[in-house]
């Protein structure tokens, strides 16, 4: 409650939360497209590639104004993406290797520049380090406003070209056959991803920003089968993780925001993997158990039918032990019988002896017929 | 024959990956209103050929025209059914949505599909027997249903020429019959259909025109004239034993016509 209170009334915390929410929404939305196009790692490469841009922007201007540094980051990230495309298209190096190359070359170069600056007696460069792991607590409202403007532009463009981006992501060749300039659409979508990453760099840092691209989208995919809902959920999860992470890191002194945000978003992913309907692991397990129970009921019922068929009287009672022998290895015969009795399909004529009711006979006959039909219909 | 209109004309088409030729000096004249199969062994360049005609791949040399004009000017006359396996069927969308993508070419930029597009999409789904699956998530479709969805998407393109890349690949017998029925309806409506096909046994039953391809164009023409043992041997390199049974024998073309009661 106290946290909520300070979220609403504490100026610094509110600024931080706003910034973190913006970055979460934008990276979640754009990340959805990256994940669906199997380009999750592109985000990773581009955020790492942004580091030398930040440092060079500082070296050229001597200014630590976030907007200038972020322009540097965007240019470097974009160059990285472009170079990667060039490597894939013009050499025999495959996409995954190209990603690795661009990531390590750019990031290594950035780190080298950073350590070079640190050896300098000039103290002005202090703070550039926070671009590695992010420092949301230092966000000012003057940082958040450009972030929000940029983020809004990015989201608007996604909305305007929604149909085109969807088609591009689902079936690139078909889009090309319709006459859409898919190479340009690729560039636009990738550029928007770069901008989304840049929006979050200051708060989360270049090393862990990729998690904000991939994780919310991966979690959102678990909950829905519709692109629109997925993008919306990814934005929501991103915002929750951003705000949650920024809040927690601002409580402790010296906690970098990036790692905390990543922990929160990992929690969301874990919950989604486990509990999402249809796709979640727990859901699958429950469904499997239900199917197994249903099968067990059917098998007890049909076995009783086969037994009864051997006698003239369909209501002839049989010992539980016989049924247990027939359902060997499946267990739960007694429990199945009780369930079947509740449905009025069987009755216990004397202790340990069970018989089909008239309804049970009918039900079992239908089951056996449908099974035969199923087999026969298979050509 | 000469006054017949050509739907597709390809001249001296050559395409290479690095320095390995994939298509070599292809000439093709496809008349209007026929069902044509493109057959050839794996790696013969069948898919590459239709992708190149569709402008998806850039040829090293050659000229391609659709009804006498370059493809770019005639794009709206052409519909395309890519290989089923070329997309991710776990993409978060439903059948109706995929079919409506066929309308995007006519819609143009930014405009969203409206009620008319939706009705056309439903109509196409009815034609392929998928109307009940309109709102089904595409990851829950069988192979045959995926293929019908793609066909419906091509139908809403309302084109004159249809290119289909292995539409019979891995589909059940019912779907295969449904597709053939559809192809015949298209031909009856005066459309031209070009199909990359794998099953030599059914060529003479399903198609009336065939192109035999193995990097070079081995032969192209009416099935009864060019689908011969000799040409098949040239295409497949003598490795196929059952050829003599499936091919139209040059000496007695009539005795080997497909049975009228196809199954």
């Amino acid at each position: 409650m106290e946290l909520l209170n300070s979220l609403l009334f504490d100026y610094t915390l509110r600024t931080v939360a706003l910034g973190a929410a913006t970055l979460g929404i934008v990276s979640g939305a754009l990340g959805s497209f990256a994940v669906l196009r199997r380009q999750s790692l592109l985000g990773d490469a581009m955020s790492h590639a942004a580091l030398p841009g930040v440092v060079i922007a500082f070296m050229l201007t001597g200014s630590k104004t976030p907007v200038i540094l972020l322009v540097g980051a965007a240019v470097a990230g974009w160059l990285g993406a472009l170079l990667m495309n060039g490597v894939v298209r013009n050499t025999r190096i495959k996409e995954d290797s190209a990603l690795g190359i661009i990531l390590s070359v750019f990031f290594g170069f950035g780190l080298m520049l950073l350590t070079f600056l640190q050896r300098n007696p000039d103290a002005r460069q202090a703070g550039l380090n926070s671009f590695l792991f992010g420092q949301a607590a230092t966000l000012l409202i003057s940082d958040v406003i450009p972030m929000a403007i940029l983020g809004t532009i990015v989201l608007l463009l996604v909305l305007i070209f929604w149909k085109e981006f969807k088609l591009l992501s689902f079936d690139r060749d078909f889009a090309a056959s319709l006459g859409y300039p898919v190479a340009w659409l690729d560039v636009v979508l990738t550029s928007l991803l770069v901008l989304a990453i840049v929006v979050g760099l200051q708060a989360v840092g270049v090393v862990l920003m990729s998690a904000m691209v991939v994780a919310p989208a991966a979690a959102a995919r678990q909950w829905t089968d519709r692109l629109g809902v997925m993008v919306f959920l990814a934005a929501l999860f991103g915002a929750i993780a951003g705000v949650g992470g920024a809040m927690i890191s601002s409580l402790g002194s010296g906690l970098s925001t990036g790692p905390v945000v990543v922990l929160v978003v990992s929690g969301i992913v874990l919950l989604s993997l486990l509990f999402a309907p249809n796709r979640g692991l727990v859901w699958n397990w429950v469904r499997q158990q239900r199917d197994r129970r249903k099968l067990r009921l059917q098998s007890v019922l049909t076995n009783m039918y086969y037994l009864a068929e051997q006698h003239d009287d369909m209501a002839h009672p049989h010992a539980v032990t016989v049924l247990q022998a027939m359902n060997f290895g499946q267990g739960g015969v007694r429990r199945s019988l009780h369930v079947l009795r509740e449905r009025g399909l069987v009755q216990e004529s004397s202790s340990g002896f069970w018989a089909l009711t008239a309804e049970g006979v009918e039900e079992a006959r239908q089951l056996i017929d449908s099974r035969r039909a199923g087999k026969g219909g298979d050509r | 024959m000469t006054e017949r209109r050509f739907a597709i004309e390809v001249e001296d088409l050559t395409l290479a990956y690095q320095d390995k030729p994939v298509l070599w000096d292809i000439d093709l004249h496809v008349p209007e209103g026929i069902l044509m199969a493109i057959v050839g062994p794996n790696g013969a360049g069948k898919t590459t050929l239709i992708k190149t005609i569709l402008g998806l791949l850039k040829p090293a040399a050659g000229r391609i025209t659709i009804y006498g004009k370059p493809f770019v000017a005639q794009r709206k006359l052409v519909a395309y059914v890519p290989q089923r396996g070329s997309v991710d069927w776990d993409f978060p969308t439903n059948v109706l949505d995929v079919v409506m993508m066929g309308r995007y070419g006519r819609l143009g930029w930014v405009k969203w599909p409206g009620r008319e597009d939706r009705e056309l999409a439903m109509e196409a789904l009815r034609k392929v027997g998928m109307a009940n699956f309109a709102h089904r998530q595409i990851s829950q479709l069988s192979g045959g249903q995926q293929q019908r969805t793609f066909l419906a998407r091509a139908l809403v393109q309302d084109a004159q020429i249809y290119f289909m890349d292995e539409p019979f690949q891995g589909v059940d017998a019912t779907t295969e019959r449904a597709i053939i029925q559809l192809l015949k309806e298209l031909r009856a409506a005066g459309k031209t259909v070009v199909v990359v096909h794998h099953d030599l046994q059914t060529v003479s039953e399903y198609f009336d025109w065939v192109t035999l391809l193995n990097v070079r164009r081995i032969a192209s023409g009416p099935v009864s004239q060019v689908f011969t043992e000799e040409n098949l041997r040239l295409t497949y390199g003598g490795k196929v034993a059952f050829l003599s049974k499936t091919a139209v024998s040059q000496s007695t073309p009539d005795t080997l016509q497909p049975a009228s009661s196809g199954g």
Side-chain angles (χ1 to χ4, degrees), chain A residues 96-115:
Chain A
D96 52 345
S97 315
L99 277 169
I101 293 168
I102 297 297
L103 185 151
S104 44
V105 167
F106 273 68
F107 187 59
F109 183 55
L111 278 183
M112 192 196 76
L113 290 177
L114 208 57
T115 43

Side-chain angles (χ1 to χ4, degrees), chain A residues 74-123:
Chain A
V75 171
W78 200 66
L79 259 179
L82 225 59
L83 260 177
M84 205 206 77
N85 254 333
V87 167
V88 172
R89 210 165 282 175
N90 298 314
T91 71
R92 294 194 177 202
I93 296 170
K94 298 273 182 294
E95 193 162 5
D96 52 345
S97 315
L99 277 169
I101 293 168
I102 297 297
L103 185 151
S104 44
V105 167
F106 273 68
F107 187 59
F109 183 55
L111 278 183
M112 192 196 76
L113 290 177
L114 208 57
T115 43
F116 172 76
L117 277 183
Q118 273 163 348
R119 278 213 319 244
N120 252 330
D122 186 355

Side-chain angles (χ1 to χ4, degrees), chain B residues 23 36 46 51 75 103 105 111 126 144 171 197 235 246 255:
Chain B
L23 294 173
M36 183 175 93
K46 304 183 292 289
K51 279 193 173 178
R75 210 186 279 283
R103 299 293 304 163
K111 258 179 82 180
R126 264 191 292 279
V171 302
H197 194 56
T235 313
T246 50
T255 52

Side-chain angles (χ1 to χ4, degrees), chain A residues 62-85:
Chain A
S63 148
K64 274 199 315 196
T65 318
V67 176
I68 291 174
L69 298 184
L70 291 182
V71 168
V75 171
W78 200 66
L79 259 179
L82 225 59
L83 260 177
M84 205 206 77
N85 254 333

Side-chain angles (χ1 to χ4, degrees), chain A residues 364-375:
Chain A
R365 192 176 288 145
Q366 273 174 15
L367 244 158
I368 292 164
D369 281 352
S370 72
R371 264 186 217 167
R372 285 205 185 112
K375 262 179 210 153

Side-chain angles (χ1 to χ4, degrees), chain A residues 65-327:
Chain A
T65 318
V67 176
I68 291 174
L69 298 184
L70 291 182
V71 168
V75 171
W78 200 66
L79 259 179
L82 225 59
L83 260 177
M84 205 206 77
N85 254 333
V87 167
V88 172
R89 210 165 282 175
N90 298 314
T91 71
R92 294 194 177 202
I93 296 170
K94 298 273 182 294
E95 193 162 5
D96 52 345
S97 315
L99 277 169
I101 293 168
I102 297 297
L103 185 151
S104 44
V105 167
F106 273 68
F107 187 59
F109 183 55
L111 278 183
M112 192 196 76
L113 290 177
L114 208 57
T115 43
F116 172 76
L117 277 183
Q118 273 163 348
R119 278 213 319 244
N120 252 330
D122 186 355
R124 284 180 310 160
Q125 95 288 348
L128 279 186
N129 264 335
S130 66
F131 271 92
L132 278 178
F133 295 110
Q135 197 59 273
T138 59
L139 280 182
L140 302 172
I141 195 70
S142 62
D143 303 329
V144 173
I145 287 171
M147 273 171 77
I149 292 174
L150 193 59
T152 311
I153 293 174
V154 168
L155 291 180
L156 272 178
L157 283 171
V158 169
L159 210 62
I160 291 173
F161 294 115
W162 180 266
K163 179 181 92 206
E164 284 77 14
F165 287 156
K166 181 168 75 179
L167 183 59
L168 180 78
S169 307
F170 176 62
D171 195 343
R172 194 175 188 276
D173 275 352
F174 187 72
S177 83
L178 292 181
Y180 286 103
V182 286
W184 279 107
L185 280 173
D186 267 339
V187 170
V188 172
L189 195 49
T190 305
S191 305
L192 291 180
L193 183 61
V194 172
L195 291 180
I197 287 169
V198 164
V199 164
L201 277 190
Q202 220 184 337
V204 178
V206 297
V207 176
L208 294 168
M209 189 55 209
S210 62
M212 289 305 288
V213 173
V214 180
R221 181 67 189 92
Q222 288 290 108
W223 297 94
T224 176
D225 279 333
R226 293 176 57 188
L227 182 61
V229 180
M230 175 179 169
V231 170
F232 174 79
L233 276 180
L236 183 70
F237 290 160
I240 292 172
V243 174
M247 293 290 118
I248 296 168
S249 78
S250 70
L251 293 177
S253 57
L255 268 183
S256 292
T257 320
V260 183
V261 168
V262 169
L263 282 180
V264 175
V265 85
S266 304
I268 295 177
V269 170
L270 188 69
L271 286 178
S272 305
L273 284 178
L274 287 177
F275 299 111
N278 291 322
R279 289 178 164 251
L281 294 174
V282 170
W283 177 276
N284 275 340
W285 185 81
V286 168
R287 192 164 43 193
Q288 256 173 32
Q289 292 303 312
R290 208 175 46 203
D291 287 350
R292 204 170 289 169
R293 214 164 31 234
K294 194 171 139 201
L295 268 178
R296 213 154 44 204
L297 285 183
Q298 293 181 349
S299 122
V300 168
L301 196 66
T302 49
N303 280 336
M304 287 181 76
Y305 183 83
Y306 290 135
L307 277 176
E309 257 187 336
Q310 321 233 327
H311 303 263
D312 291 336
D313 176 18
M314 286 309 271
H316 189 92
H318 295 278
V320 174
T321 44
V322 176
L323 288 167
Q324 276 167 338
M326 285 179 86
N327 289 287

